[in-house]
């Protein structure tokens, strides 16, 4: 069965189905992370003492990761911008344009994947450092929240990398067979990736700076 | 279309620059060791601005259809409701209404 409204806009919503779908999914993600941020606010405001977070965590490493994730958001949107103006000519059979735009797309999507990988490597260094100092989730409420929030976020980074990796590799065959639908897939995958960036934009000050 | 995308790409680079400046600003302000309330207000305001830039431009929320705005608006309302109701229900310490306060007065 054909999935309806993958590229054409559905008249009642004014959107394609994947676009509406990703936003509804992200709305549920806001509540997932929102409940954890609420727990953080409640536990911290109710605690008689709270550790000085920046003395336990590394602000320079987290700042580096912030820049890396923001840069990977930029390359993600550039990957989409490499494809979307050329859908009509690829559909019309222009093989030169198809190859050129695909090469450019793969470069930017590859950089996005690299950004995700660097982020995870830095996160691993941070976690190892905490464990080597015997800082575990069970140590105190702050570290429990730190590991839960950053761990859940890292899972989201990994999921995004799996999807982006598929779209960089075997999934990119769709650029020739159905260019509009492929460009839409990149936009939708991008909206998810940017959401992961937005979550980190809040985690960074809340866990490291404040 | 190609021209539109070129304009869009310039916009993305501008947003990238703004996000980097805001990141440097929030880190620099954190080293000032301000008292908690202004530090939280400034830190979260910068984070909200950065998140809004990413959502509006990278996630194409600017000029999006009402079918996206409505569920997101409802989510924002529910999130604020969750946060406020939790703090009101459990945050006795914030409002000085703990039982032990009554006994010690």
């Amino acid at each position: 069965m054909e999935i309806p409204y993958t590229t054409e806009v559905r008249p009642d919503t004014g959107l394609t189905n994947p676009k509406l779908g990703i936003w509804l999914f992200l709305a549920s993600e806001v509540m997932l992370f929102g409940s954890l941020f609420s727990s953080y606010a409640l536990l911290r405001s109710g605690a008689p003492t709270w550790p000085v977070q920046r003395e336990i965590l590394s602000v320079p490493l987290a700042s580096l990761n912030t820049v890396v994730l923001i840069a990977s958001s930029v390359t993600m949107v550039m990957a989409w911008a490499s494809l979307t103006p050329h859908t009509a000519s690829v559909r019309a059979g222009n093989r030169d344009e198809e190859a050129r735009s695909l090469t450019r797309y793969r470069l930017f999507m590859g950089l996005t994947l690299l950004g995700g990988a660097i982020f995870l490597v830095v996160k691993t260094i941070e976690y190892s450092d905490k464990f080597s100092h015997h800082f575990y989730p069970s140590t105190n409420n702050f570290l429990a929240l730190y590991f839960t929030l950053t761990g859940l976020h890292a899972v989201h980074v990994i999921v995004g990398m799996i999807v982006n990796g598929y779209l960089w590799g075997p999934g990119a065959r769709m650029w020739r067979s159905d260019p509009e639908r492929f460009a839409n897939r990149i936009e939708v995958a991008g909206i998810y990736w940017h959401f992961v960036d937005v979550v980190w934009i809040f985690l960074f000050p809340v866990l490291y700076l404040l | 279309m190609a021209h539109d995308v070129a304009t869009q790409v310039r916009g993305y680079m501008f947003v990238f620059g703004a996000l980097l400046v805001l990141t440097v600003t929030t880190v620099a302000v954190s080293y000032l060791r301000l008292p908690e309330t202004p530090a939280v207000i400034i830190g979260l305001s910068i984070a909200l601005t950065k998140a809004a830039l990413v959502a509006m431009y990278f996630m194409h929320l600017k000029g999006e259809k009402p079918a996206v705005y409505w569920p997101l608006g409802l989510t924002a309302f529910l999130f604020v409701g969750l946060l406020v109701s939790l703090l009101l229900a459990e945050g006795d310490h914030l409002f000085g209404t703990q039982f032990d306060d009554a006994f010690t007065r």
Side-chain angles (χ1 to χ4, degrees), chain A residues 9 12-15 19-20 23-24 26-28 30-31 33-35 37-39 41-42 44-47 52 54-55 59-60 63 66-67 70-71 73-74 77-78 80-82 84-85 104 187 190-192 194-195 197-198 201-202 204-206 209-210, chain B residues 1-2 5 8-9 12-13 15-16 19-20 23 26-27 29-33 36 39-44 46-52 54-55 57-61 64-68 71-72 74-76 78-79 82-84 86-87 90-91 93-94:
Chain A
V9 165
D12 52 357
T13 60
L15 298 162
K19 178 71 88 69
L20 182 60
W23 277 112
L24 290 177
L26 291 185
S28 75
V30 168
M31 293 312 288
F33 280 101
S35 64
F37 275 108
S38 300
S39 308
L42 188 69
R44 182 169 175 178
S45 65
V52 181
R54 60 190 310 136
E55 286 173 4
V59 173
S63 306
T66 304
V67 172
I70 288 172
S73 252
V74 176
V77 84
M78 291 299 294
W80 171 77
S82 306
T84 192
R104 200 172 145 78
E187 186 185 14
I191 290 173
Y192 171 83
H194 304 312
F195 173 77
D197 188 15
V198 166
I201 282 172
F202 285 105
F204 176 48
V206 167
L209 302 179
L210 296 177
Chain B
M1 183 72 186
V5 171
Q8 258 180 322
V9 168
Y12 294 148
M13 292 304 132
V15 172
F16 184 31
L19 290 171
L20 291 182
T23 301
T26 195
V27 173
V29 168
S30 79
Y31 280 98
L32 298 176
R33 308 287 176 108
E36 195 169 20
V40 168
I41 291 171
I42 294 171
L44 290 185
I46 293 177
L48 270 173
T49 310
K50 287 167 73 182
V54 172
Y57 294 97
F58 294 168
M59 298 168 93
H60 306 146
L61 210 50
E64 196 48 275
K65 300 289 184 297
V68 169
L72 285 184
L74 180 64
T75 308
L78 289 174
F79 168 61
L82 173 75
L83 185 65
V84 171
L86 251 180
L87 287 174
E90 300 291 337
H93 50 276
L94 293 178

